[in-house]
Amino acid sequence: MLHLVDQVLVMTVNPGFGGQAFLPETMDKVRELVALRKEKGLNFEIEVDGGIDDQTIAQAKEAGATVFVAGSYVFKGEVNERVQTLRKQLD
């Protein structure tokens, strides 16, 4: 099915509600998707959603994620400042 998709979402928390802690073991799924994408010559984004903050975004990027959802982290502070902090972590 991967040849049919533009993006794959990996939930990095247990789905249900915002503000949960990031589950580092989910990075294995991201790494597996990166390997499959390369092995099969595919072109899809890998999105992570859940527990993404100024610490965990780097872990997700290192594992191979390309799209990041950081709802609670961004909206529980000054939005522009938090977004800039996340962007710096990705540089």
Side-chain angles (χ1 to χ4, degrees), residues 58-84:
Q59 293 174 53
K61 179 183 178 186
E62 182 179 315
T66 54
V67 178
F68 310 88
V69 177
S72 293
Y73 173 77
V74 169
F75 293 107
K76 288 187 177 180
E78 201 286 309
V79 173
N80 289 329
E81 180 181 309
R82 295 274 174 116
V83 169
Q84 291 307 315

Side-chain angles (χ1 to χ4, degrees), residues 26-85:
T26 60
M27 293 301 94
D28 292 339
K29 293 178 184 181
V30 173
R31 289 184 199 90
E32 183 178 348
L33 285 164
V34 169
L36 285 167
R37 182 176 60 192
K38 183 176 181 179
E39 173 188 318
K40 298 184 181 300
L42 301 174
N43 185 27
F44 56 84
E45 300 281 349
I46 301 170
E47 178 180 0
V48 289
D49 182 354
I52 301 298
D53 61 23
D54 60 333
Q55 303 299 305
T56 60
I57 197 167
Q59 293 174 53
K61 179 183 178 186
E62 182 179 315
T66 54
V67 178
F68 310 88
V69 177
S72 293
Y73 173 77
V74 169
F75 293 107
K76 288 187 177 180
E78 201 286 309
V79 173
N80 289 329
E81 180 181 309
R82 295 274 174 116
V83 169
Q84 291 307 315
T85 298

